[in-house]
């Protein structure tokens, strides 16, 4: 019983980091890429895209806002679907 | 309470009498009085439910994920960010977007790393979490210092902004504006606690989202919702032309860029009034949901400010009705959204937006005051000085006294900082939150080897260095104190102060071989178990 309990906890911790790490990466890298371009090579954001009046910087900025929201949605979805059942299993075992 | 409404009516009559520029004030004053009446009624209703500590600090823990998401976004959509960011977009175009994204990027961090363990370990304040397995007294004192400095800096910035805004919108003198805001805030918080503060925040968030949506739709309507045409018009009107679509001069050197980026990214996860909101939901599932809702609302709101800023370039930057003699906007660039409301929606929309701006200030300062009061009563008084041996009744009394004290202090500081540049204060608050509050919270949850000694020394150094670097930096040392060159060369300290915090904590904890340290490390496993599963939280929240 006790070892089973510990196994379940380990499964939970591994599951959580499997979900959290890629999402964390997906949050931090694009943001620092965005900030990095502004700091080191701002002219990279100037060109207008697809024959419109929307610059690459504004386009990517708006995409980044959307991405941030989507990341939170993905996490809530994954956490409710995979993490919660694992927590319930531990609770029932207790 | 009736007396207060009466005095507001009196004040508004006064302002009507002194107001010379048309009737728009009538609508905004009626709307504002409606808002104040409704919120005071809520405060009265909430007062019956806020008599226990749990009711006062966490609204009984019964707020839903959606409600909390709205309240969190309300905390974040301050008048400063509504008017400030749309003003920045109006002035610089693209650079406004850098701030919007910076304020948003903290949310996934909170969601992925902080929200659930915070809910599972804490009760009323984030110091509950940090001191969970560490020595209560020193940790509580440090966390309270971190909370109070963030809260007070934020409050000063909000208050000074409020006074000036209300002066312009309603024609009220600065002093009475500051006193009305301070007075109402004290009423909401002392009588209604977290429940009233949350509902004030929710109502205001809905009103602000609604108002901003209406402005944005009316603007886009004029361009048949064609974003291409819209931006084309803006670049042809703005004097900087096409360059407003690409990075301007907001961030010039890489170190400042990374430093500002870090402060915004991790600062949000160290703001006590935001962290406190996670104790108002019943469990980690709702805490998680509330961040997703909040991120959606805030992200949407920043898209609106972006449209509003560009809309203002097109519709008001050439309209003499909104410009003063030197061809700048009447009341400054931060008035862009307000003038735009008038331009697209006439005096009804102008009145509505003005009232919402006032309501926004009230709601935000209330949330801040509550967080500050809980740091004083729960962390300093109840746990650090009386070591948890006091009665709940006493703690409640202290929290109400602390609210009144903070309210008076805020009014006082609002008055003495009237003519100072306070824009740097929110930046400093974020730097402190990222360099002291956030590292303590993160490491206490995830790092087994964190001991009291390391946390106290590292956290204090982070707090101290963030403040010192800002004071010796270009903004305070040169611009405000008038010295010729800064001692610390960068505007944003977070890169340096965060590094100091993390390295100090790491070194001290690695060499901490004390018996207490050993005991604290041993308690990590059970704390980690609870932070991951939430098992144990029910027994702690029932009294």
């Amino acid at each position: 019983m006790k070892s089973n309990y510990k196994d379940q906890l380990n499964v939970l911790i591994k599951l959580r980091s499997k979900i959290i790490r890629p999402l964390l990466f997906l949050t931090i890298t694009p943001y620092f890429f965005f900030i990095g371009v502004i700091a080191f090579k701002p002219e990279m954001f100037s060109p207008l895209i697809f024959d419109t009046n929307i610059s690459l910087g504004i386009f990517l900025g708006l995409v980044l806002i959307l991405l941030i929201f989507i990341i939170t949605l993905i996490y809530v979805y994954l956490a409710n679907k995979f993490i919660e059942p694992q927590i319930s299993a531990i609770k029932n075992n207790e | 309470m009736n007396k207060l409404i009466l005095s507001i009516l009196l004040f508004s009559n006064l302002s009507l009498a002194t107001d010379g520029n048309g009737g728009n004030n009538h609508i905004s004053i009626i709307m504002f009085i409606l808002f104040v009446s409704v919120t005071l009624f809520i405060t009265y209703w909430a007062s019956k439910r806020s008599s226990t500590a749990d009711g006062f600090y966490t609204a009984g823990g019964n707020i839903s994920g959606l409600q909390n998401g709205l309240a969190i976004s309300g905390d974040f959509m301050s008048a400063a960010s509504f008017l400030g960011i749309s003003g920045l977009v109006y002035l610089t175009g693209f650079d406004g977007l850098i701030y919007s994204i910076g304020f948003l990027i903290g949310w996934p961090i909170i969601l992925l790393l902080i929200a659930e363990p915070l809910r599972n370990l804490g009760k009323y304040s984030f110091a509950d979490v940090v001191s969970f397995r560490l020595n209560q007294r020193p940790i509580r004192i440090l966390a309270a210092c971190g909370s109070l400095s963030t809260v007070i800096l934020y409050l000063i910035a909000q208050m000074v902004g409020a006074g000036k805004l209300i002066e312009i919108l309603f024609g009220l003198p600065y002093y009475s504006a500051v006193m009305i805001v301070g007075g109402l805030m004290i009423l909401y918080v002392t009588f209604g606690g977290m429940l009233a503060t949350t509902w004030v925040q929710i109502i205001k968030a809905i009103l602000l989202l609604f108002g901003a949506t209406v402005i944005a739709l009316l603007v886009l309507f004029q361009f048949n919702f064609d974003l291409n045409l819209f931006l084309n018009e803006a670049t042809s009107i703005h004097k900087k032309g096409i360059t407003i679509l690409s990075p301007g001069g907001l961030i010039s050197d890489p170190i400042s860029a990374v430093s500002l980026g870090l402060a915004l990214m991790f600062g949000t996860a160290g703001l006590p009034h935001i962290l406190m909101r996670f104790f108002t939901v019943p469990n980690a599932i709702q805490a998680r949901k509330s961040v997703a809702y909040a991120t959606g609302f805030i992200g949407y709101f920043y898209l609106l400010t972006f449209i509003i800023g560009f809309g203002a370039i097109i519709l008001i930057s050439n309209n003499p009705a909104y410009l003063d003699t030197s061809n700048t906007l009447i009341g400054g660039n931060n008035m862009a959204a307000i003038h735009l409301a008038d331009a697209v929606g006439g005096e009804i929309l102008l009145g509505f937006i003005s009232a919402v701006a006032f309501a926004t200030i009230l709601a935000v300062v209330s949330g801040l005051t509550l967080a500050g009061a809980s740091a004083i009563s729960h962390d300093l008084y109840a746990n650090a000085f009386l070591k948890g041996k006091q009665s709940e009744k006493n703690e409640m009394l202290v929290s109400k006294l602390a609210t009144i004290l903070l309210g008076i202090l805020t009014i006082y500081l609002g008055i003495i900082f009237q003519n100072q540049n306070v824009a740097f204060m929110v930046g400093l608050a974020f730097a402190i939150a990222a360099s002291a509050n956030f590292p303590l919270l993160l490491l206490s949850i995830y790092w087994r080897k964190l001991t009291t000694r390391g946390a106290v020394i590292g956290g204090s150094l982070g707090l101290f260095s963030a403040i010192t670097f800002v004071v010796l930096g270009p903004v305070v040392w040169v611009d405000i104190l008038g010295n010729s060159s800064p001692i610390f060369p960068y505007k944003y300290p977070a890169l340096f102060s965060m590094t100091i915090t993390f390295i100090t904590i790491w070194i001290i904890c690695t060499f901490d071989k004390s018996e207490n340290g050993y005991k604290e490390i041993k308690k990590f496993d059970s704390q980690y178990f609870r932070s991951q599963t939430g098992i144990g939280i029910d027994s702690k929240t029932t009294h």
Side-chain angles (χ1 to χ4, degrees):
Chain A
M1 169 88 182
K2 184 113 202 206
S3 69
N4 180 23
Y5 190 65
K6 210 156 192 177
D7 287 347
Q8 279 182 321
L9 182 65
N10 280 333
V11 172
L12 174 70
I13 291 166
K14 281 209 180 104
L15 185 66
R16 228 186 247 273
S17 61
K18 224 161 104 186
I19 294 172
I20 288 176
R21 278 178 198 193
L23 289 176
L24 214 52
F25 180 79
L26 208 61
T27 310
I28 294 175
T29 348
Y31 177 61
F32 277 100
F33 172 77
F34 188 77
I35 293 284
V37 170
I38 292 164
F40 289 100
K41 254 182 128 30
E43 64 281 3
M44 216 175 108
F45 274 170
S46 307
L48 302 177
I49 52 161
F50 313 129
D51 280 333
T52 62
N53 283 299
I54 303 165
S55 70
L56 184 63
I58 288 194
F59 176 72
L60 290 181
L62 298 179
V63 167
L64 195 49
I65 290 183
L66 204 65
L67 176 74
I68 293 170
F69 179 47
I70 291 172
I71 289 171
T72 63
L73 288 183
I74 294 175
Y75 177 72
V76 171
Y77 173 77
L78 293 176
N80 288 344
K81 193 170 161 125
F82 298 108
I83 295 177
E84 280 311 317
Q86 194 59 34
I87 292 175
S88 312
I90 295 176
K91 273 184 186 158
N92 291 336
N93 206 343
E94 212 193 19
Chain B
M1 225 169 262
N2 285 333
K3 256 188 191 162
L4 187 98
I5 297 174
L6 200 72
S7 69
I8 289 167
L9 281 168
L10 262 168
F11 268 124
S12 36
N13 283 334
L14 196 79
S15 72
L16 283 177
T18 53
D19 173 44
N21 49 21
N24 59 50
N25 268 340
H26 294 274
I27 294 158
S28 56
I29 285 166
I30 291 167
M31 286 180 181
F32 177 70
I33 288 173
L34 202 68
F35 175 83
V36 171
S37 320
V38 170
T39 49
L40 285 178
F41 178 76
I42 289 174
T43 307
Y44 172 71
W45 164 78
S47 63
K48 295 173 197 159
R49 289 162 180 78
S50 300
S51 51
T52 60
D54 199 38
F56 184 79
Y57 294 124
T58 71
N62 282 323
I63 302 290
S64 76
L66 174 62
Q67 290 165 345
N68 192 39
L70 271 169
I72 290 175
S73 58
D75 267 322
F76 232 56
M77 301 183 295
S78 59
S81 68
F82 175 50
L83 302 176
I85 291 186
S86 51
L88 197 62
V89 174
Y90 168 77
L91 192 68
T92 64
F94 179 86
D95 284 358
L97 201 59
I98 304 177
Y99 267 97
S100 306
I101 292 171
F103 285 133
L104 204 58
I105 197 74
W107 291 102
I109 303 292
I110 292 189
L111 177 64
L112 298 171
L113 296 176
I114 304 292
E116 294 169 44
L118 181 75
R119 179 65 196 89
N120 286 339
L121 294 175
K123 200 171 159 197
Y124 301 146
S125 71
F126 85 92
D128 291 342
V129 180
V130 185
S131 63
F132 196 88
R133 65 188 163 99
L134 304 183
N135 189 353
Q136 293 282 330
R137 188 175 262 186
I139 294 289
R140 295 266 181 192
I141 294 173
L142 174 62
C145 290
S147 293
L148 284 171
S149 21
T150 335
V151 161
I152 288 171
L153 285 165
Y154 234 101
L155 274 174
I156 297 173
Q158 293 289 333
M159 211 49 152
V160 173
K164 297 204 166 141
L165 181 69
I166 293 164
E167 210 173 12
I168 298 168
L169 291 181
F170 297 86
L172 269 178
Y174 182 88
Y175 294 94
S176 27
V178 167
M179 284 197 212
I180 290 180
V181 171
L184 282 171
M185 156 185 115
I186 292 173
L187 278 182
Y188 290 151
V189 180
T190 22
F191 293 108
M194 184 52 113
L195 191 57
T197 309
T198 302
W199 279 103
V200 169
Q201 204 61 276
I202 292 174
I203 295 173
K204 160 245 148 159
I206 294 172
L207 290 175
L208 183 56
L209 284 169
F210 174 74
T213 304
V214 171
I215 302 180
L217 286 179
L218 287 172
V219 168
L220 289 178
F221 179 71
Q222 304 202 0
F223 299 90
N224 294 319
F225 297 92
D226 182 346
L227 196 63
N228 199 15
L229 186 70
F230 177 62
L231 289 177
N232 188 28
E233 195 76 12
T235 50
S236 63
I237 286 177
H238 202 284
K239 59 176 183 292
K240 289 182 195 155
I242 195 93
T243 60
I244 57 168
L245 300 180
S246 41
L250 185 71
I251 300 177
S252 41
D253 66 298
I255 291 185
S256 298
V258 174
S259 207
L260 176 66
L262 283 172
L264 292 173
M265 185 170 224
F266 298 113
T268 312
L271 295 176
H273 62 295
I274 298 287
L275 296 172
M276 197 177 177
R277 292 230 159 270
F278 290 102
F279 304 119
T280 66
V281 292
N283 51 41
I285 302 175
Q286 296 301 324
R288 199 184 286 150
K289 269 192 199 161
S290 52
V291 184
Y293 279 121
T295 313
F297 290 129
I298 300 168
Y300 171 67
F301 174 72
Y302 285 143
L303 293 182
L304 296 178
T305 56
F306 188 71
I307 295 168
I308 290 171
F310 273 96
I313 294 173
I314 302 168
L315 296 168
I316 63 171
S317 68
N318 280 335
N319 188 336
Y322 304 112
L323 302 173
D324 60 19
T325 44
S326 58
N327 245 355
T328 50
L329 282 187
I330 296 170
N333 289 316
N334 283 355
M335 294 297 284
I338 305 277
H339 290 316
L340 185 65
D342 185 51
V344 296
E347 56 181 52
I348 294 185
L349 192 56
L350 171 66
F352 181 75
I353 291 295
S354 307
V356 169
F358 199 165
T360 293
I361 293 163
L362 272 178
V364 172
V365 291
S366 303
L368 286 164
T369 307
L370 184 61
S374 77
I376 294 174
S377 60
H378 182 61
D379 296 331
L380 285 182
Y381 172 76
N383 285 300
F385 295 121
L386 296 182
K387 296 187 171 172
K389 274 180 254 156
Q390 89 306 341
S391 71
E392 191 179 307
K393 219 174 167 185
N394 268 341
E395 185 178 335
M396 291 299 297
L397 186 68
V398 172
S399 67
K400 290 182 177 191
L401 287 175
T403 306
I404 296 169
L405 198 82
L406 269 174
I408 294 169
L409 180 73
T410 308
I411 294 173
Y412 174 71
L413 291 174
I415 289 169
I416 59 170
F417 279 96
Q418 182 185 358
N419 295 315
Q420 300 288 324
N421 171 13
V422 293
F424 76 96
M425 286 185 178
V426 170
L428 177 55
F430 265 83
I432 292 174
S435 322
N437 309 353
F438 171 72
L440 290 177
L441 195 54
L442 183 79
L443 295 174
S444 70
I445 295 172
Y446 291 103
W447 197 44
R448 179 185 303 271
K449 288 184 184 158
L450 183 74
T451 62
T452 303
R453 197 181 288 175
V456 169
I457 298 175
S460 328
L461 271 181
L463 177 67
F464 179 73
S465 60
I467 296 173
T468 313
F469 289 151
V470 169
V471 170
L472 299 181
V475 181
V476 176
W477 195 252
V478 179
D479 296 351
I480 294 177
L481 297 175
N483 294 294
S484 56
S485 66
I487 296 174
F488 177 79
Y490 301 104
K491 247 167 114 176
Y492 310 104
L495 177 61
F496 303 94
S497 49
M498 280 181 83
T499 312
I500 290 175
T501 314
F502 279 107
I503 290 186
T504 313
I505 293 181
W506 181 71
I507 293 175
I508 305 254
C509 291
T510 309
F511 291 101
D512 183 0
K513 301 287 178 220
S514 66
E515 198 173 322
N516 284 338
Y518 179 70
K519 278 186 199 152
E520 288 159 2
I521 291 169
K522 262 184 81 181
K523 285 187 204 152
F524 180 80
D525 278 328
S526 64
Q527 179 202 295
Y528 194 59
F529 175 71
R530 176 166 158 173
S531 79
Q532 293 291 308
T533 61
I535 292 172
I537 79 170
D538 290 329
S539 58
K540 204 188 171 197
T541 41
T542 39
H543 294 281

